[in-house]
Amino acid sequence: MSALRQTASPTVLVDGEFPFTQADFDAIAAILYDVSGIHLQPAKATLVYSRLAKRLRVLGLDDFAAYRARLDGPQAADERAALLSALTTNVTRFFREPHHFDLLRRQVRQALAPAARAGGRVRLWSAGCSLGHEPYSMAMAVLAELPEAAELNVRILATDIDPQVVAHARAADYSEDDLAPTPPDLAARGLVRKDGRTRIADDARALVRFGVLNLHADWPMTGVFDAIFCRNVAIYFDDATQAKLWTRFAQRLTPAGRLYIGHSERAETPLLTPDGLTVYRRSDA
């Protein structure tokens, strides 16, 4: 009597318009990690499906197997960029975690403004700038303490891995609701009324330089920074990737520089020591 060989059915995580299997999730998660260092938790399977199903419809694909083939095919670079845009989250607002901007203002007032006025170089970095709310908030905080900053050697580098959000940030086109959290004393210099709308002032825009940068890859900048904001970015990385990132940031701070991170993050490296609520300085400073 012969036994029939049974082939195990693939584990279906989401049984929707396009069946989404464990193998599909694992392959996509591996690609995202390789490209960006982002670690996809299994609990995100439904979210991944809902975002990528839209992409399958746009491409006219029948299933995730065809989509995975596209991620490894001749158009892999473009499609992996689209994958990254689909799966990264851009939840942000102006002056999020306002205590950070209070501390930045104090840092500018006590040290960076005198240095800039004496001809020194001042550099700040919004690493993971998303739609631009953070770097423009930083610019307004700087202008509140150093009104002539745009005329001095003061610049804010704003980078993100997603070219689409960088383009949005560079345009600086925000609604009245977007700009509403701006404190009145900062709005006085950082915002202007133009063509019937409130907009980012020219001096604030002049301080910011945007670029596309993958924190998981090489960094082309050669200088160091007086302040680095990287908030609610590392939470998407695994422990090993986080540890490497904190070390790299520490090495890019000036001796008196500060690293500002998200409220649920901890910069665990001997190179950094706490200096306030989710703010760190170099341990050797």
Side-chain angles (χ1 to χ4, degrees), residues 11-261:
T11 301
V12 177
L13 299 179
V14 181
D15 190 12
E17 178 184 355
F18 311 100
F20 187 54
T21 68
Q22 184 69 53
D24 294 329
F25 177 84
D26 291 344
I28 288 167
I31 290 171
L32 186 66
Y33 184 82
D34 182 60
V35 169
S36 68
I38 295 173
H39 177 60
L40 274 181
Q41 299 286 349
K44 299 290 187 182
T46 301
L47 174 66
V48 171
Y49 171 83
S50 65
R51 293 188 178 183
L52 293 184
K54 299 174 186 177
R55 186 64 185 160
L56 267 66
R57 295 185 198 107
V58 169
L59 296 172
L61 301 177
D62 294 328
D63 52 37
F64 274 92
Y67 183 65
R68 287 165 55 188
R70 192 178 185 93
L71 289 169
D72 289 321
Q75 297 171 303
D78 290 342
E79 194 52 47
R80 289 183 178 211
L83 171 77
L84 186 66
S85 292
L87 295 183
T88 47
T89 301
N90 297 294
V91 177
T92 185
R93 63 180 180 273
F94 281 94
F95 296 95
R96 187 180 189 182
E97 300 184 45
H99 66 280
H100 282 162
F101 298 98
D102 292 339
L103 181 56
L104 177 61
R105 288 185 65 174
R106 189 170 73 204
Q107 188 182 354
V108 172
R109 182 169 60 251
Q110 293 179 348
L112 302 184
R117 286 172 174 144
R121 171 188 180 277
V122 173
R123 292 293 182 271
L124 316 178
W125 181 13
S126 170
C129 69
S130 187
L131 299 169
H133 300 67
E134 180 178 88
Y136 290 128
S137 296
M138 294 167 67
M140 286 188 266
V142 169
L143 288 170
E145 304 296 335
L146 186 61
E148 69 273 32
E151 303 167 12
L152 302 174
N153 192 4
V154 180
R155 293 294 178 267
I156 299 168
L157 173 64
T159 65
D160 198 278
I161 195 172
D162 186 346
Q164 294 182 31
V165 302
V166 170
H168 185 287
R170 188 180 282 115
D173 186 13
Y174 301 103
S175 70
E176 300 284 345
D177 287 343
D178 284 334
L179 296 167
T182 305
D185 60 328
L186 274 68
R189 190 169 296 277
L191 302 179
V192 294
R193 193 75 180 170
K194 185 177 181 181
D195 300 328
R197 291 187 56 192
T198 303
R199 299 182 181 275
I200 304 293
D202 288 345
D203 280 354
R205 293 188 64 174
L207 287 178
V208 186
R209 299 289 185 271
F210 288 96
V212 177
L213 180 68
N214 184 347
L215 292 175
H216 190 55
D218 292 336
W219 298 351
M221 310 88 74
T222 57
V224 291
F225 296 89
D226 300 284
I228 299 174
F229 278 58
C230 187
R231 306 183 303 165
N232 306 303
V233 174
I235 54 174
Y236 298 104
F237 300 151
D238 60 17
D239 290 345
T241 306
Q242 285 189 32
K244 182 178 179 181
L245 183 64
W246 302 137
T247 297
R248 295 179 79 185
F249 279 147
Q251 294 168 341
R252 291 302 185 101
L253 286 173
T254 63
R258 297 293 185 271
L259 171 66
Y260 298 75
I261 67 175

